[in-house]
């Protein structure tokens, strides 16, 4: 039989050059379970498009990345978070969650990606996007925009929230628009505790504040679309700073626009996507392609990290008994390992979104009353466990 010179044959192919795709590639290269020429990575990300957002990584995921998966994080590259403060309108005091061991760390996405480095000749890299896919009993085929055809036993698709492969391989999901817009960026500040992260629930929006460096914080602002639709010339910085300085006036924490002109705002619509069965014949979804949640608890990439850990477990189990990596039993094992955690985090973050979005005054009083009670009981450990990871 004549082999098509444009067709290449692999055991596993990872699609996507975002955080999840790169982490999956790094974990598989370092695990040595797949021969160099049998692992393929479709990474079309342009090195010049630097992701300057930051991620909160749970302490447990951070420790595992360092100790079990050889990720070498330099101390100067991340900030440790030992306290999380949850603030609400008309509160007496915030709900304080302190953890002496640390809740987790804050790291800039581009620095995190650099820390996941591995020798690029330990796998085959393609720089062209996937345009279409089909499969037979033993293989899935990916047809790239440059005309190359990738033949592989298993595809791990980390192609993000708008995943093309999810659509092409007919994987169903629930898509729910939250009617909020996410605005993310940096602010300069004075008197902000550099070991604490803050989540503030206001009448029209939620603001997550993460310390980034001395006198600078990263914010994730989730704003009701109704406010944006009313004003076509909405001034993001002015409006945010007005809300924050008013809220923290008693504590003398002061926020100002960033001095550097290079810092740009990132603005996205936010939808929740829940994928009940994130696999099809010879393809499994990982990362945002498999679950998109509201960023209010900083858990989206944490779920993706856990996806990568669990994919590795399944592939190691398959290898031990000589099983084909793309067999349906391997895909089912992956789904069984992931399904409860993903459902739980999607449910918790979406419920928190709606509880705090309502902000009717009786509900707000109830929330503040509950926070006071929770603050005095061991029930608040549940929030700590959520923040630290499982
Ligand atoms: C403002 C904000 C703050 C956040 N903060 C946190 C946080 O603190 N902690 C946390 O855990 N999570 C956080 N998250 C969530 C986290 O950022 C995402 O979960 C994570 O970045 C998803 O990475 P991904 O690689 O799965 O997807 P993406 O980053 O979307 O990457 C998808 C990749 O697939 C590629 N691709 C797409 N289509 C194709 C194709 N056809 N062929 C080949 N390649 C393709 C794209 O080029 C891209 O490289 C936050 C999210 C937002 C919006």
């Amino acid at each position: 039989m004549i082999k098509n010179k444009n067709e290449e044959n692999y055991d596993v192919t990872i699609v996507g050059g975002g955080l999840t795709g790169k982490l999956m590639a790094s974990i598989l290269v370092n695990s040595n379970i797949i021969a160099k020429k049998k692992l393929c990575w479709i990474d079309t990300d342009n090195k010049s498009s630097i992701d300057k957002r930051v991620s909160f990584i749970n302490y447990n995921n951070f420790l595992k990345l360092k100790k079990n998966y050889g990720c070498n994080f330099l101390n100067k590259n991340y900030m440790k978070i030992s306290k999380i403060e949850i603030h609400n309108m008309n509160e007496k005091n915030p709900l304080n969650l302190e953890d002496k061991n640390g809740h987790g760390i804050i790291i800039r996405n581009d620095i995190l990606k650099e820390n996941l480095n591995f020798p690029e000749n330990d796998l085959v890299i393609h720089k062209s996007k996937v345009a279409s896919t089909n499969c037979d009993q033993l293989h899935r085929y990916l047809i790239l925009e440059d005309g190359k055809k990738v033949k592989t036993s298993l595809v791990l698709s980390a192609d993000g929230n708008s995943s093309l492969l999810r659509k092409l391989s007919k994987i169903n999901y629930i898509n729910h628009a939250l009617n909020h817009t996410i605005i993310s960026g940096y602010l300069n500040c004075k008197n902000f505790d550099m070991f604490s992260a803050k989540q503030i629930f206001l009448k029209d929006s939620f603001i997550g504040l993460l310390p980034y460096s001395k006198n600078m914080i990263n914010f994730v602002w989730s704003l009701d679309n109704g406010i944006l639709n009313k004003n076509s010339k909405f001034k993001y910085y002015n409006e945010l700073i007005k809300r924050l300085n008013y809220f923290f006036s008693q504590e003398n924490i002061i926020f100002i626009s960033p001095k550097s002109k290079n810092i740009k705002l990132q603005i996205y619509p936010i939808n929740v996507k829940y994928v009940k069965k994130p696999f099809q014949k010879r393809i499994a979804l990982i990362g945002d392609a498999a679950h998109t949640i509201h960023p209010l608890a900083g858990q989206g990439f944490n779920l993706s990290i856990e996806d990568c850990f669990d994919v590795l477990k399944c592939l190691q189990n398959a290898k031990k008994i000589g099983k084909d990596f793309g067999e349906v039993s391997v895909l089912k094992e992956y789904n069984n390992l992931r399904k409860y955690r993903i459902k739980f985090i999607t449910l918790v973050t979406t419920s928190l979104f709606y509880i705090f979005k309502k902000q009717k005054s009786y509900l707000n009083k109830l929330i503040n009353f509950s926070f006071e009670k929770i603050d005095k009981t061991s029930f608040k450990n549940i929030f700590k466990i959520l923040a630290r990871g499982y």
Side-chain angles (χ1 to χ4, degrees), residues 136-341:
D136 59 27
Q137 227 181 341
L138 294 177
H139 298 103
R140 182 162 280 275
Y141 301 85
L142 299 174
I143 298 90
L144 309 188
E145 284 178 353
D146 65 4
K148 286 239 162 62
K149 192 171 183 184
V150 168
K151 177 181 176 184
T152 184
S153 298
L154 173 66
V155 171
L156 296 172
S157 191
D159 56 345
N161 176 13
S162 319
S163 172
L164 177 70
L165 276 163
R166 184 177 58 206
K167 184 173 165 208
L168 294 175
S169 50
K170 299 195 169 54
I171 296 178
N172 295 328
Y173 61 95
I174 296 167
N175 184 23
H176 177 70
L178 293 176
N179 211 16
H180 262 213
T181 295
I182 303 294
I183 304 121
S184 155
Y186 291 86
L187 288 177
N188 283 106
C189 59
K190 284 181 192 154
N191 307 326
F192 193 95
D193 171 14
M194 283 294 144
F195 295 99
S196 78
K198 299 185 201 296
Q199 180 71 48
I200 303 124
F201 293 101
L202 302 176
K203 195 171 175 65
D204 60 3
S205 59
F206 317 148
I207 310 169
L209 300 176
L210 301 173
Y212 172 67
S213 65
K214 196 165 180 277
N215 299 335
M216 190 169 230
I217 54 105
N218 176 267
F219 67 84
V220 177
W221 187 18
S222 176
L223 179 61
D224 194 314
N225 286 345
I227 304 288
L228 284 174
N229 295 342
K230 264 192 232 156
N231 182 353
S232 60
K233 290 192 182 136
F234 192 80
K235 290 196 167 61
Y236 291 100
Y237 280 121
N238 292 355
E239 291 288 336
L240 176 66
I241 289 168
K242 187 172 78 185
R243 285 166 175 77
L244 286 174
N245 283 343
Y246 178 74
F247 193 88
F248 288 109
S249 54
Q250 302 286 317
E251 289 166 59
N252 200 26
I253 306 176
I254 299 161
F255 297 87
I256 38 180
S257 290
K259 289 189 183 111
S260 165
K261 292 270 176 294
N262 295 330
I263 299 179
K264 293 212 169 70
L265 289 178
Q266 309 224 15
I267 301 173
Y268 330 71
I270 177 76
N271 290 359
V272 173
K273 291 200 173 88
Y274 175 68
V275 189
K276 190 169 178 204
K277 187 182 144 229
F279 67 90
Q280 258 294 3
K281 274 188 198 155
R282 299 197 169 266
I283 182 168
L285 304 178
I286 57 176
D288 272 16
H291 37 72
T292 307
I293 58 173
H294 190 281
L296 64 83
Q299 294 302 312
F301 181 55
N302 281 291
L303 284 180
S304 311
I305 296 174
E306 295 155 17
D307 292 347
C308 295
F309 294 163
D310 284 339
V311 164
L312 178 65
K313 253 186 232 162
C314 298
L315 298 187
Q316 281 171 329
N317 290 344
K319 178 147 177 141
K320 265 188 222 151
I321 51 169
K323 207 189 255 184
D324 169 357
F325 287 148
E327 240 188 53
V328 71
S329 59
V330 179
L331 300 172
K332 280 186 179 163
E333 185 188 350
Y334 165 65
N335 188 33
N336 287 339
L337 286 175
R338 300 301 303 134
K339 63 185 179 191
Y340 297 111
R341 173 85 177 151

